[in-house]
Amino acid sequence: MSYTEQHFPQEPTGPKVVTDSIPGPKGKKGIQSLGEVFDARCVYFLADYQKSYGNYIVDADGNTLLDCYAQIASIPLGYNNPELIKVAKSDEMVSAIVNRAALGNFTGVEYEKVQRSLLKYAPKGQKYVWNGLSGADANELAFKAVFFNYQSKKRGFDKQFSSEEEASCMENQAPGNPELAVLSFARAFHGRLFASGSVTRSKPIHKMDMPSFKWPKAEFPSYKYPEVDNKEYNAKEDERCLAIVENYFKTWHCPIACVIVEPIQSEGGDNHASATFFQGLRDITLKYGAKLIIDEVQTGCGGTGIMWEHERYNITPPPDLVTFSKKMQSAGYFFHDKELIPNQPYRQFNTWCGDEKLIMLAAAICKEIQEKDLLTSISKTGEFLFGKLEELQKEYPVYLQNLRGKGKACFVAFDMPSPEKRTEFLNKMRISGINIGACAEVGVRLRPTLVFEKKHAQIFIDVLSKVLATL
Amino acid sequence: MSYTEQHFPQEPTGPKVVTDSIPGPKGKKGIQSLGEVFDARCVYFLADYQKSYGNYIVDADGNTLLDCYAQIASIPLGYNNPELIKVAKSDEMVSAIVNRAALGNFTGVEYEKVQRSLLKYAPKGQKYVWNGLSGADANELAFKAVFFNYQSKKRGFDKQFSSEEEASCMENQAPGNPELAVLSFARAFHGRLFASGSVTRSKPIHKMDMPSFKWPKAEFPSYKYPEVDNKEYNAKEDERCLAIVENYFKTWHCPIACVIVEPIQSEGGDNHASATFFQGLRDITLKYGAKLIIDEVQTGCGGTGIMWEHERYNITPPPDLVTFSKKMQSAGYFFHDKELIPNQPYRQFNTWCGDEKLIMLAAAICKEIQEKDLLTSISKTGEFLFGKLEELQKEYPVYLQNLRGKGKACFVAFDMPSPEKRTEFLNKMRISGINIGACAEVGVRLRPTLVFEKKHAQIFIDVLSKVLATL
């Protein structure tokens, strides 16, 4: 029996659309009313989470959609997963909800076990974790760890702050508040607060009107597909982009303390890069005394068929920090070098220092993935799915451009010929029973749960074929 | 029957310390082991949350302490509050845990009710709420709303971004990323990320080695106590500080888009200010077209005897944004002007747009406060407590300096003569059964729950008297 047969015995056998449009009349009315108290302009449809189940999301009108987007790539194990419901109902969870601790000051007796249970699933080579609350928060906390480390190394780890540093930082001035940069890449997405927003380079809407740090933007490889026919071009593209990175290290007006990069640029268009590129970043950061942060917010926790996508590239030595959120439900960064623990207490600190209930949930999700071997099953689904997409691509080369994500489970994307066609496509897919997401200007991205199986992929392909025929 | 008699019938009748030190042997061993996987340098003691109850926190060694600090001012209704346990065990909570929604895209059918249930408790004059995840996050989201509004007003709310703005913001440059400032106050604390860290001005440890925005720092009034004997001095202090603020508006090299201020500077030393001062800030911000953000992260949700501390000052018109976190368990900002909803969708946006389970909890907390009239009871406790402290102050004027918070329930603080004496005092209080917190260099702050009653205050006073006699 497959995972969904065992754990979602009542899962629908396919999507079912009962209204002429999505949202239907109930949904439309609900969204209008919601709009009085909430910014409802981005709502695709109102969901009924108590009725949603496994891979299917049910809306206010009773439409049942196969969910290939999964809350912007964040639902890991399907809706109302019975194993997670057990965790949610446990005494430990109830206590974590009603007695939320200031984890750094008054840690609970049970917390060491919780922290260790999460660390079991750390990326290869990583030994510690610091907890945050969202992807943006995770990245900014990682920046703090890097900046503290950079300046402490310069000052001497055992040295106190000087009185000049103490006085100047209170005025937001150097030397206490030094000018240090984070290098990121064109089309990157790392969050929408102010430091995370400064390294995000995906779309103007993510950045407009915000004061920002003047940090360098390098170029991320733009490969040609299929890869097998473009090896030489793509290799040169790696070289070109790495040279740009190194040039920034040589010429930037202030120290670049770290590079942040996604293993696959997701929001920015599902842009992949090679092992050579990532190892090149590792080599450059080592050469110039900078840290390498891998942002696994969207890729991490199994979506690509391995727990942490960057492990695929065997980066040596491993990256200094790996950030996570989304499917993990909790957020934060893994690291391995003790020197990234600040040399004084209360530097990396805040009231809650994470959220124990989310950390418990994260550990339970990882455990379920491992125990039920969900990486193997999602990889098999992906292999089947990609094969089918390649076949369809031959038939519809205009609508399935730059098909990418081969061998990366269902973390798959392709491009439509125009933003308008993409909108038409997404709407037609939805009214045909498939909820699916966009990325960048013309990209379509699949981000199903980890319990998306061959039967679900087949349904997706069947609907896709029909929709493509109408474009 | 009092609230605790009704809801915590088994609450201890007083603290009980069973080890020679806190942490005792079990706690010390546990902290050492925890230190292998967590930065345990800030841990005061390991807590046993399943055994903690009402106003009492139990540690790993079985010590039972009267908690006057409540997880850095964040536990609202006592440990293991039965009303919150009901909410934690509800089907709605379980669903919110296992089906965490991307609230902005796929809002649940139940969510409008949740949002409205929170809005019932909005500060006077506020109509909307935007949800975040922590105090720092709430403040930075508020800054975003302000900056979007500032530039949109300048551009014209119905105008599209220009191509120059779009191109420049992708390079982190003006005009798309304009230079805009937030004015904050010396000794303020607003969080520890990069924009929130730039307006935090409490201690070097909160700011050191972080790149920051070069924003202006005004002065917060430093009053003399008792207030009744220092009216003239304190009034002049208001004038002096307001003149500094206005001068920044006249002279700063870029527009100041908003002022952020705490109703009582908490982390920075429990510094109070007058209605005149807050109204002065309102008048200046209006005069210069800037927004006023009141940071109620520590003061909000009833701790001072009213739901929102700034309401005490009758600021007219009401502040533009009010941020919250801590006792609310959820975080975010309230506002009233529709123009603070960005003129385009996806500007104020992220994957989760808050956390529904926390918003449910926040609404349940506020409802309990209102239904059980906890603001009246905590105010009465505070009146009793402050009277006793005034009596003790006559006996120990050196150890109870600048006693402040009169009429503000149990949101009370005083100063010790030196940091060393304060450490001695806090340690002696703890080993005598009282958990209590510090603020600024020499401050001691009381931050009990809202179910701290006269009997608990009496225990606190009895222990305090004994400890003061030994200093």
Side-chain angles (χ1 to χ4, degrees):
Chain A
M1 283 219 293
S2 76
Y3 187 90
T4 59
E5 282 163 2
Q6 277 189 301
H7 293 81
F8 300 105
Q10 312 299 325
E11 200 186 37
T13 52
K16 194 174 146 196
V17 176
V18 297
T19 56
D20 294 337
S21 65
I22 295 177
K26 275 193 197 167
K28 279 181 187 155
K29 207 175 150 194
I31 292 169
Q32 194 173 19
S33 172
L34 176 69
E36 294 168 14
V37 290
F38 184 72
D39 185 352
R41 290 171 296 178
C42 307
V43 178
Y44 288 113
F45 55 81
L46 291 185
D48 189 331
Y49 290 106
Q50 306 233 11
K51 288 186 189 150
S52 300
Y53 191 58
N55 289 285
Y56 289 87
I57 185 166
V58 175
D59 83 352
D61 290 277
N63 294 304
T64 302
L65 308 182
L66 181 65
D67 197 354
C68 299
Y69 196 32
Q71 308 300 320
I72 321 180
S74 71
I75 289 285
L77 304 178
Y79 295 104
N80 287 300
N81 184 294
E83 297 298 328
L84 296 188
I85 289 176
K86 274 185 217 161
V87 176
K89 288 184 169 175
S90 68
D91 290 347
E92 292 78 8
M93 181 64 81
V94 170
S95 178
I97 293 172
V98 303
N99 304 315
R100 186 171 183 182
L103 282 174
N105 276 167
F106 304 101
T107 325
V109 289
E110 77 298 333
Y111 185 70
E112 182 185 337
K113 197 177 141 198
V114 173
Q115 180 93 343
R116 287 188 189 273
S117 67
L118 175 61
L119 278 170
K120 273 189 209 163
Y121 308 98
K124 217 175 112 185
Q126 310 299 340
K127 288 170 60 181
Y128 307 101
V129 63
W130 183 253
N131 300 299
L133 298 171
S134 70
D137 190 41
N139 286 332
E140 298 209 0
L141 292 170
F143 296 165
K144 284 180 66 172
V146 167
F147 292 139
F148 294 161
N149 177 268
Y150 192 93
Q151 291 298 98
S152 297
K153 187 178 277 176
K154 197 171 147 191
R155 182 187 294 118
F157 285 103
D158 56 345
K159 288 280 192 312
Q160 296 296 307
F161 308 138
S162 73
S163 54
E164 190 194 358
E165 286 175 320
E166 294 207 337
S168 58
C169 82
M170 299 306 286
E171 306 300 325
N172 293 7
Q173 298 294 336
N177 277 184
E179 217 188 331
L180 292 174
V182 179
L183 182 142
S184 68
F185 293 90
R187 299 179 289 162
F189 185 88
H190 301 292
R192 295 161 159 261
L193 296 176
F194 289 83
S196 48
S198 296
V199 290
T200 285
R201 310 279 191 168
S202 37
K203 288 180 187 164
I205 195 83
H206 300 147
K207 295 175 69 70
M208 186 63 72
D209 294 343
M210 289 172 69
S212 61
F213 291 108
K214 310 306 171 202
W215 290 342
K217 177 182 76 171
E219 287 187 41
F220 194 85
S222 284
Y223 294 151
K224 288 190 177 169
Y225 292 88
E227 287 181 86
V228 68
D229 302 331
N230 293 281
K231 280 191 181 168
E232 202 179 332
Y233 178 91
N234 292 349
K236 280 203 177 148
E237 182 64 0
D238 282 341
E239 268 176 46
R240 185 183 73 85
C241 293
L242 288 170
I244 292 171
V245 173
E246 181 150 17
N247 193 47
Y248 272 125
F249 273 98
K250 285 179 184 161
T251 62
W252 196 250
H253 68 276
C254 72
I256 297 172
C258 63
V259 168
I260 184 165
V261 66
E262 297 154 276
I264 302 168
Q265 289 190 325
S266 307
E267 178 68 25
D270 268 37
N271 310 312
H272 297 244
S274 69
T276 307
F277 177 72
F278 289 109
Q279 187 60 47
L281 292 182
R282 173 73 290 185
D283 295 342
I284 294 170
T285 47
L286 280 180
K287 181 172 170 186
Y288 292 92
K291 301 295 181 193
L292 179 62
I293 303 177
I294 302 285
D295 177 340
E296 289 260 20
V297 167
Q298 185 151 166
T299 48
C301 196
T304 65
I306 55 174
M307 200 61 190
W308 302 101
E309 170 63 13
H310 76 275
E311 290 183 344
R312 190 185 300 280
Y313 304 110
N314 239 326
I315 301 167
T316 311
D320 301 294
L321 304 98
V322 179
T323 60
F324 62 93
S325 182
K326 288 211 183 242
K327 277 193 173 52
M328 292 289 282
Q329 299 291 303
S330 187
Y333 62 86
F334 293 107
F335 62 107
H336 57 89
D337 184 351
K338 263 203 160 169
E339 276 190 1
L340 281 166
I341 300 170
N343 60 341
Q344 287 186 47
Y346 286 107
R347 300 195 71 183
Q348 190 70 293
F349 191 83
N350 54 61
T351 299
W352 285 316
C353 297
D355 188 336
E356 188 167 348
K357 54 191 170 292
L358 299 179
I359 303 165
M360 287 169 54
L361 206 58
I365 288 162
C366 294
K367 189 173 174 223
E368 185 72 358
I369 291 171
Q370 190 180 69
E371 285 186 356
K372 306 294 163 64
D373 201 13
L374 294 177
L375 298 180
T376 301
S377 59
I378 193 69
S379 297
K380 279 186 191 160
T381 306
E383 205 181 324
F384 169 78
L385 175 74
F386 207 90
K388 293 286 180 186
L389 284 169
E390 283 178 323
E391 283 171 29
L392 274 174
Q393 196 186 26
K394 283 173 202 151
E395 206 174 334
Y396 300 101
V398 175
Y399 296 123
L400 290 172
Q401 292 176 28
N402 301 318
L403 181 61
R404 50 207 185 271
K406 189 169 191 162
K408 298 186 178 180
C410 300
F411 205 98
V412 168
F414 50 84
D415 291 334
M416 286 274 141
S418 70
E420 295 71 29
K421 270 290 161 198
R422 180 177 70 178
T423 302
E424 184 192 340
F425 171 76
L426 294 175
N427 289 338
K428 283 185 169 171
M429 287 296 284
R430 194 169 296 129
I431 197 68
S432 307
I434 309 282
N435 188 41
I436 187 173
C439 58
E441 281 70 37
V442 291
V444 173
R445 58 175 156 170
L446 268 71
R447 293 291 178 276
T449 70
L450 302 176
V451 300
F452 193 76
E453 297 170 353
K454 190 179 160 184
K455 64 183 175 190
H456 306 108
Q458 185 63 62
I459 291 167
F460 169 76
I461 290 293
D462 291 345
V463 174
L464 177 65
S465 311
K466 281 183 201 158
V467 167
L468 287 173
T470 72
L471 292 181
Chain B
M1 283 219 293
S2 77
Y3 187 89
T4 59
E5 282 163 359
Q6 277 188 302
H7 293 83
F8 300 105
Q10 311 301 324
E11 200 185 36
T13 52
K16 195 175 145 194
V17 176
V18 297
T19 55
D20 293 338
S21 64
I22 295 176
K26 277 193 196 166
K28 279 181 188 156
K29 208 176 151 192
I31 292 170
Q32 195 173 18
S33 172
L34 175 69
E36 293 167 15
V37 290
F38 184 72
D39 185 353
R41 290 171 296 178
C42 307
V43 179
Y44 288 113
F45 54 81
L46 291 186
D48 189 330
Y49 290 107
Q50 305 233 11
K51 289 186 188 150
S52 299
Y53 191 58
N55 289 285
Y56 289 88
I57 185 166
V58 175
D59 82 352
D61 290 276
N63 295 304
T64 303
L65 308 182
L66 181 65
D67 197 354
C68 299
Y69 196 31
Q71 307 302 319
I72 321 181
S74 71
I75 289 285
L77 304 177
Y79 296 105
N80 288 299
N81 184 295
E83 297 298 328
L84 296 188
I85 288 176
K86 274 185 218 162
V87 176
K89 289 184 170 175
S90 68
D91 290 346
E92 292 79 8
M93 181 63 81
V94 170
S95 178
I97 292 172
V98 302
N99 305 314
R100 187 172 183 180
L103 282 175
N105 277 168
F106 304 100
T107 324
V109 289
E110 77 299 333
Y111 185 70
E112 182 185 339
K113 196 177 141 199
V114 174
Q115 181 93 343
R116 286 188 190 271
S117 68
L118 176 62
L119 278 171
K120 273 189 210 163
Y121 308 98
K124 218 174 114 183
Q126 310 299 339
K127 287 170 62 182
Y128 306 101
V129 65
W130 183 253
N131 300 300
L133 298 171
S134 69
D137 190 41
N139 286 331
E140 298 209 358
L141 292 170
F143 296 165
K144 285 180 66 172
V146 166
F147 291 139
F148 295 161
N149 176 268
Y150 191 92
Q151 292 298 99
S152 298
K153 186 177 279 176
K154 198 172 148 191
R155 182 185 294 119
F157 285 103
D158 56 344
K159 288 280 193 311
Q160 296 295 309
F161 307 138
S162 73
S163 54
E164 190 194 359
E165 286 175 321
E166 294 207 336
S168 58
C169 82
M170 299 306 286
E171 307 299 325
N172 293 7
Q173 298 295 335
N177 277 183
E179 216 188 334
L180 293 173
V182 179
L183 181 143
S184 67
F185 293 90
R187 297 179 290 161
F189 185 88
H190 301 293
R192 292 160 160 264
L193 297 176
F194 289 83
S196 49
S198 296
V199 291
T200 285
R201 310 279 191 167
S202 37
K203 286 181 187 166
I205 195 80
H206 301 146
K207 296 175 69 71
M208 186 63 71
D209 295 343
M210 289 172 70
S212 62
F213 292 107
K214 310 306 172 201
W215 290 342
K217 177 182 76 171
E219 289 188 40
F220 194 85
S222 284
Y223 293 152
K224 288 190 177 171
Y225 291 88
E227 287 181 85
V228 66
D229 302 332
N230 293 282
K231 281 190 180 168
E232 201 180 331
Y233 177 91
N234 293 348
K236 280 202 176 146
E237 181 65 359
D238 282 341
E239 269 177 48
R240 184 182 74 85
C241 292
L242 288 170
I244 292 171
V245 173
E246 179 149 18
N247 193 50
Y248 272 124
F249 273 98
K250 286 180 183 162
T251 61
W252 196 249
H253 68 276
C254 73
I256 297 171
C258 62
V259 168
I260 184 166
V261 66
E262 298 153 276
I264 302 169
Q265 289 190 325
S266 306
E267 179 67 26
D270 268 39
N271 311 312
H272 297 246
S274 70
T276 307
F277 177 72
F278 289 109
Q279 187 60 48
L281 292 182
R282 174 73 290 188
D283 295 343
I284 293 170
T285 48
L286 281 181
K287 181 172 170 186
Y288 292 92
K291 301 296 182 193
L292 179 61
I293 303 177
I294 303 284
D295 177 340
E296 289 261 19
V297 168
Q298 185 151 167
T299 48
C301 197
T304 65
I306 56 175
M307 201 61 190
W308 303 102
E309 171 62 12
H310 76 276
E311 291 182 342
R312 190 186 300 280
Y313 303 110
N314 240 325
I315 300 167
T316 312
D320 301 294
L321 306 98
V322 179
T323 61
F324 61 92
S325 182
K326 289 214 182 237
K327 278 194 172 53
M328 293 289 283
Q329 300 290 305
S330 187
Y333 62 86
F334 294 106
F335 61 108
H336 56 89
D337 184 351
K338 265 203 160 169
E339 277 191 1
L340 280 167
I341 300 170
N343 60 340
Q344 288 187 46
Y346 286 108
R347 301 195 69 183
Q348 189 71 291
F349 191 83
N350 54 61
T351 299
W352 286 316
C353 297
D355 189 336
E356 187 167 349
K357 52 191 172 294
L358 299 179
I359 303 165
M360 288 169 53
L361 205 57
I365 289 162
C366 294
K367 188 173 174 224
E368 185 72 358
I369 291 170
Q370 190 180 68
E371 286 186 356
K372 306 296 164 63
D373 201 14
L374 294 177
L375 298 181
T376 302
S377 60
I378 194 68
S379 297
K380 279 185 189 159
T381 305
E383 205 181 325
F384 169 77
L385 175 74
F386 207 91
K388 292 287 181 185
L389 284 168
E390 284 180 322
E391 282 172 28
L392 273 174
Q393 196 188 26
K394 283 173 200 152
E395 208 175 334
Y396 300 101
V398 176
Y399 297 123
L400 290 171
Q401 292 175 29
N402 301 319
L403 180 62
R404 50 206 185 271
K406 189 170 191 164
K408 297 185 179 180
C410 300
F411 206 97
V412 168
F414 50 84
D415 291 334
M416 286 274 141
S418 69
E420 295 70 30
K421 268 291 161 198
R422 181 178 68 179
T423 302
E424 183 191 340
F425 171 76
L426 294 175
N427 289 338
K428 283 185 169 173
M429 287 296 284
R430 194 168 297 129
I431 198 66
S432 306
I434 309 282
N435 188 41
I436 187 173
C439 59
E441 281 69 38
V442 292
V444 172
R445 56 176 157 170
L446 268 71
R447 293 291 179 275
T449 71
L450 301 176
V451 298
F452 192 77
E453 297 170 353
K454 189 177 161 186
K455 64 183 173 189
H456 306 109
Q458 184 64 60
I459 291 166
F460 169 77
I461 290 293
D462 290 345
V463 173
L464 177 65
S465 310
K466 281 183 200 157
V467 166
L468 287 173
T470 72
L471 292 180

